Amino acid sequence: MQEELVLSRKEGRVGILQLNRPAQLNALNDALMDALGAALLAMEKDDAIGCIILTGSAKAFAAGADISAMQPMTLSDVTRNNFIGRNWETILQVRKPVIAAVAGYALGGGCELAMMCDFIIAADNAKFGQPEIKIGIIPGAGGTQRLPRAVSKSKAMDMVLTGRMMDAQEAERAGLVSRIVPADKLEQEALDAATIIAGMSLPSVIAAKEAVNRAYETTLTEGVRFERRSFHALFATQDQKEGMKAFLEKRKPDFRHE
Ligand code: HXC
């Protein structure tokens, strides 16, 4: 029987997805990206989940798109099949937060997938890179766009043109990752962060994610206007009443996500 390409489990209100092609360092092929998209959409629909973690193995988050699958592809193939566009960006439809927990290699499409998550927690052995230039192509899942936004033009150009890797420390200094933890603490740290988020009111979590993402897609004036509308809208939720009441009564809020 074929191994499952994406393992899915729940811890409290946290959904955990693990890329599972360890012998190929989680090289991302079509079947895996289909499975990942389906698993993400299932968690998006599940009312019992408030935050998602995407992770890989101890050696690799993902070492990129599957080079053996790509090598024979022609222009006609990639165009007709809408390679990348067809199933790589399903994660962007997910409104719940997705945390990338990265140990080992996050290269090429693996780095791009991590950057499509909402933030990255890195193990101290993590390595990030866009090495596509070394095999005669360029990043194709947003690397040339998201990396400069994350780490500045100079460092992104350096990474994309030389294909070199960045270690976890450099990635944190550059702003690509939000925190670094010892490799053996990665799972727990990601779960702790996700559990905190999943305990917040889901409507406010979704609004917060949407508003921060606006910062990368529009002008400051439009972004602030968008934020203001969402901020005002949250006063229509029960959870806003409950959150503020709980603060005043010096107790924990009992959010119902409505
Ligand atoms: C297919 C891959 C792979 C990949 C690793 N493997 N990366 N197979 N596609 N991207 C396979 C190897 O062929 C090998 O299989 C097994 O995984 C273990 O890898 P090794 O190379 O033996 O391990 P190691 O010596 O530790 O080197 C690790 C590594 C190296 C530095 C990460 O594997 C590497 O450079 N991989 C390719 C990285 C890369 O170029 N990524 C970008 C791909 S292009 P066997 O059968 O020999 O055991 C891309 C395009 C994105 O991502 C476009 C949009 C998505």
Side-chain angles (χ1 to χ4, degrees):
M1 210 185 81
Q2 213 206 315
E3 287 280 346
E4 273 190 83
L5 294 169
V6 177
L7 305 177
S8 179
R9 66 190 170 91
K10 276 192 220 178
E11 292 271 351
R13 282 180 47 79
V14 177
I16 303 173
L17 295 175
Q18 183 176 16
L19 305 173
N20 188 38
R21 287 186 84 202
Q24 293 82 21
L25 304 184
N26 290 331
L28 303 165
N29 63 15
D30 215 37
L32 190 155
M33 295 314 291
D34 276 344
L36 177 60
L40 282 163
L41 292 181
M43 288 189 168
E44 171 75 352
K45 260 210 257 167
D46 185 341
D47 282 340
I49 288 179
C51 188
I52 299 166
I53 296 171
L54 178 59
T55 195
S57 68
K59 189 166 178 203
F61 177 74
D66 189 319
I67 299 171
S68 56
M70 285 189 293
Q71 196 277 334
M73 288 180 188
T74 64
L75 169 61
S76 165
D77 292 332
V78 295
T79 309
R80 272 186 296 109
N81 300 332
N82 189 16
F83 179 47
I84 304 304
R86 193 182 72 73
N87 56 3
W88 276 68
E89 291 176 341
T90 310
I91 192 167
L92 302 178
Q93 295 169 32
V94 175
R95 296 174 317 148
K96 293 171 184 172
V98 183
I99 301 173
V102 174
Y105 298 109
L107 302 177
C111 186
E112 292 171 301
L113 184 60
M115 288 192 289
M116 282 190 242
C117 296
D118 297 306
F119 62 97
I120 301 174
I121 300 181
D124 52 12
N125 71 345
K127 286 193 186 318
F128 299 86
Q130 298 290 162
E132 289 90 342
I133 201 86
K134 295 192 201 169
I135 54 171
I137 54 169
I138 66 169
T144 64
Q145 305 305 301
R146 291 195 179 89
L147 193 60
R149 283 167 169 79
V151 305
S152 82
K153 174 184 166 184
S154 188
K155 200 173 279 285
M157 280 288 189
D158 177 358
M159 306 295 299
V160 169
L161 294 175
T162 67
R164 79 172 174 89
M165 292 184 211
M166 235 188 321
D167 64 18
Q169 287 69 27
E170 185 179 0
E172 190 188 33
R173 279 198 306 277
L176 179 62
V177 310
S178 69
R179 27 179 142 160
I180 305 178
V181 296
D184 62 348
K185 300 273 183 338
L186 178 66
E187 195 181 323
Q188 192 57 51
E189 182 91 1
L191 186 58
D192 289 349
T195 301
I196 289 171
I197 294 167
M200 306 296 178
S201 165
L202 187 58
S204 66
V205 166
I206 289 172
K209 168 170 170 165
E210 207 181 358
V212 172
N213 279 331
R214 277 289 158 124
Y216 291 90
E217 283 159 12
T218 190
T219 62
L220 181 60
T221 305
E222 284 305 318
V224 171
R225 189 172 292 150
F226 179 86
E227 179 197 79
R228 192 68 36 85
R229 292 275 175 273
S230 295
F231 171 76
H232 287 165
L234 289 167
F235 284 76
T237 64
Q238 295 297 314
D239 286 344
Q240 174 265 331
K241 299 286 170 291
E242 166 60 13
M244 294 190 183
K245 191 161 182 272
F247 175 82
L248 295 172
E249 292 172 357
K250 302 189 188 304
R251 60 171 174 83
K252 282 197 169 155
D254 177 18
F255 288 133
R256 302 291 170 91
H257 312 291
E258 53 190 31

